[in-house]
Amino acid sequence: GVDDLFTCIIDTRTCELETKHSPEAFEKAMKAANASDPTACMLIDDSVKNIRTAKSLGWTTVLIGKHERDTSNAFTCAEADYHIDDV
């Protein structure tokens, strides 16, 4: 598992189901983690939209998957610090 690699893992329920591409979701996540420095936070996600929001707020970003879910077309995301096939 990865539990020992992170201080805490936060999901959308922790953020009161705020949509992940909303800056408010990231603010709630940081509050829940008692984090004041966005560079100490990481989003691991398969959505380019979510990765872009996290990066704009200073988070480290990991994009999972290299093909779009709906079309299977290959894609990239300049805002992703890391882009991997799967976890």
Side-chain angles (χ1 to χ4, degrees):
V2 297
D3 289 344
D4 60 326
L5 301 175
F6 299 95
T7 304
C8 63
I9 298 174
I10 296 173
D11 66 11
T12 56
R13 292 170 292 191
T14 308
C15 300
E16 301 170 359
L17 301 178
E18 189 76 49
T19 181
K20 284 191 282 181
H21 57 268
S22 161
E24 290 80 15
F26 293 93
E27 292 168 9
K28 289 178 181 182
M30 289 182 65
K31 183 176 180 181
N34 198 28
S36 58
D37 180 5
T39 64
C41 301
M42 177 183 290
L43 177 70
I44 303 170
D45 205 297
D46 64 350
S47 166
V48 169
K49 186 185 291 187
N50 298 341
I51 292 292
R52 286 182 176 143
T53 302
K55 190 47 142 179
S56 74
L57 298 170
W59 288 42
T60 298
T61 55
V62 181
L63 181 59
I64 306 296
K66 295 196 175 181
H67 294 89
E68 294 177 0
R69 286 180 270 185
D70 297 333
T71 64
S72 296
N73 292 334
F75 69 94
T76 61
C77 176
E79 293 84 357
D81 294 305
Y82 305 95
H83 192 178
I84 60 177
D85 286 322
D86 58 41
V87 178

